[in-house]
Amino acid sequence: GAGVSQTPSNKVTEKGKYVELRCDPISGHTALYWYRQSLGQGPEFLIYFQGTGAADDSGLPNDRFFAVRPEGSVSTLKIQRTERGDSAVYLCASSPTSGTEAFFGQGTRLTVV
Amino acid sequence: GESVGLHLPTLSVQEGDNSIINCAYSNSASDYFIWYKQESGKGPQFIIDIRSNMDKRQGQRVTVLLNKTVKHLSLQIAATQPGDSAVYFCAEIPGGYQKVTFGTGTKLQVIP
């Protein structure tokens, strides 16, 4: 596609439920990033993939959060036992190679009620 | 819709004037810097970048200045337009490492 695509654009879930957020990066981009953005804050790094492997997952807040990129393209961010504090916009970005500008998707707005 | 700039410092500028947005970065090992623009309800959009071996870079209506001595970045927007209204973030990337760290952000309001 022309840009980074994230689905769904909005997700409302009940506390304790499991959610999956999908990111389709720009075709051919090897680097993929997940960020979380709370109201009035800058994006907060969660995890970075280079190809299929997670090169840095130091930003994942706890073991309820997990992300995969099995074929080096689409990535899924998975959140188990969601909590109200997980409510935020989850942003995905990709870049052609490491060390170059990252292109962001529009984000998935997650609301945990 | 959700306002990404709800709690951020705000810069108000008259349409047609020049805008200067400042950012202090934290990591002296960072060697690549990017300015992003984020409009409400959208993801950050690349504006301009600069590497640490430069102190100035110009784009269309935008200029980024880098002062490594005091770890300071600035974004200058010439002839500010209503479409420039958004939240602006600086981002830093350490050498040899790809984790992008965003600054706090500044909300730019253009007064027609």
Side-chain angles (χ1 to χ4, degrees), chain A residues 11-96:
Chain A
K11 175 72 176 178
V12 179
T13 191
E14 292 181 346
K15 179 176 178 296
K17 299 289 188 182
Y18 168 82
V19 296
E20 290 189 351
L21 312 179
R22 177 186 169 108
C23 173
D24 282 83
I26 295 172
S27 178
H29 281 194
T30 60
L32 185 145
Y33 311 80
W34 283 100
Y35 285 80
R36 177 169 69 175
Q37 188 172 28
S38 300
L39 187 64
Q41 303 292 323
E44 172 193 2
F45 172 81
L46 295 177
I47 187 169
Y48 156 61
F49 287 90
Q50 182 60 43
T52 60
D56 184 352
D57 64 357
S58 63
L60 294 177
N62 51 59
D63 62 5
R64 295 187 297 106
F65 288 74
F66 190 71
V68 296
R69 195 186 185 198
E71 298 178 358
S73 177
V74 171
S75 177
T76 305
L77 178 66
K78 308 180 180 192
I79 310 174
Q80 298 177 319
R81 304 182 303 280
T82 51
E83 300 177 356
R84 292 194 178 90
D86 299 335
S87 296
V89 175
Y90 289 81
L91 293 163
C92 176
S94 69
S95 62

